[in-house]
Amino acid sequence: MQERTKKSPRDLRVTVGTDSRISAQDVKTAFCRGLSGAGIEALDRGLASTPAMFMSTVFEDIKADGAVMVTASHLPYNRNGLKFFTPDGGLEKADIARILEIAEKEETEPAEWKGESCPVMQLYTAHLRRLICDGLSTKEAEKPLKGMHIVVDAGNGAGGFFAHKVLTPLGADIKGSRYLTPDGMFPNHVPNPENKEAMASIREAVLESHADLGLIFDTDVDRMSAVFASGKEVNRNSLIALMAAILAPDYAGGTIVTDSVTSDELTAFLEEELHLVHLRYMRGYKNVINECIRLNKSGVVSPLAIETSGHGALSENYYLDDGAYLAVKLIIAAARARVRGRTVESLIDKLNEPAEAVEYRLAVKNTDNANAYGESVLDSLEERALEVRIQVASPSYEGVRLMFPEGWALLRMSLHDPNMPLNMESKEPGGCEKIKCRMYDLLKGYDHLDTEILK
């Protein structure tokens, strides 16, 4: 921060918040004592969401120079970490490397930290309520969500505020909501919209309470998924399709940037039904966000960068992956549909899903450089495929995508682990098994690639 702002430590202010996990207070206190030892003012937010912490660098009442969220996102209760923000957004890999380089040489002693509180969540929840009211051309006092029944599953993470501080003040009925109370042991299910148990929980809550809509957040609320009144789960392809359908009227012909494992059926919906452009980019939410930023800077309208994991960032919202902001957009759309006598589910009536979708993880073993070996496999796989007249998709921004009569297969290098994920999708039942057999033949002879799972 000193390098970027040219300010002295005594002129820097950093907000620090946590999710609900059990180590949060100890990690936060240690971190803030370190900041204090360097002469930096550390403001204590306490329980917060990751997007709210970023917004503390935006809100005029705070205007922090930086923000830190103590969280391990959807990982188990006994993990923890730090997410760093400046007013320009989340830090990049190179920035983290620089922090570690500085920290390794740092000799400043930790100092006493008083923990002055900071009203980030009050400002943030008021901001979300205002967005809903503006979207519905009404005022908070008019209770614009009265008559709507919306349940929330926070998984005992930090997301319970959305029910109590956003929905209830606007008149929504939240009866049937689950696990809103923070509990860092996550006793009911992992707060993760990609988790089947978590999605089953919010689906059950919707059906049991006959709600109009269900919302589920991950631990630090930078991701969201939903369930319609019918019980249909809205995640992965359907979440992307829904957010794109909501945005399409305001961004005609815009480009939707997704990760590489989205379906052909999603592409057809985005391009043929919504008349948008679908750019399958690469895995990693920072990758899709940065590509969205690059496109807009180059003059290409790109309103949304979103992964199948549920990380979704809108250009209109600081390119911030904010699950609560996605929920706000969805609630506005649902309220508008209700006034017209329709349901928000009708926005994606024409979205089709693949008949089958599977993922295998092929371990890279007995090599000192798994990434280099994986890249060599990808280079030669493309050559092998062309030799036997299998179509190779181009461009492919990540890995090698092969096209088959039944569907497609994508082999890529894992972002974090020494393995190569192999994703397959088929347009017909039994198609993935046929594709798997072809892939097994193509991947024979790679001594350090474990293909036993494909037999």
Side-chain angles (χ1 to χ4, degrees), residues 75-92:
L75 294 175
Y77 76 93
N78 59 353
R79 308 288 183 90
N80 221 330
L82 303 169
K83 291 184 177 180
F84 299 92
F85 296 92
T86 72
D88 294 327
L91 298 192
E92 304 287 346

Side-chain angles (χ1 to χ4, degrees), residues 88-106:
D88 294 327
L91 298 192
E92 304 287 346
K93 285 183 179 180
D95 301 319
I96 302 298
R98 178 66 181 133
I99 286 174
L100 294 175
E101 180 185 331
I102 294 168
E104 189 175 30
K105 299 174 182 176
E106 181 60 55

Side-chain angles (χ1 to χ4, degrees), residues 170-229:
L170 296 181
D173 179 358
I174 63 167
K175 291 187 185 71
S177 292
R178 294 183 170 188
Y179 318 132
L180 303 182
T181 304
D183 185 333
M185 294 297 291
F186 309 134
N188 294 292
H189 62 71
V190 176
N192 180 8
E194 286 192 288
N195 179 273
K196 290 183 179 180
E197 183 182 2
M199 288 304 297
S201 174
I202 184 61
R203 183 176 187 274
E204 184 179 76
V206 168
L207 295 177
E208 284 186 356
S209 60
H210 305 288
D212 301 309
L213 184 67
L215 304 171
I216 184 167
F217 299 106
D218 73 341
T219 318
D220 61 328
V221 203
D222 60 0
R223 291 187 295 139
M224 179 221 64
S225 289
V227 173
F228 291 137

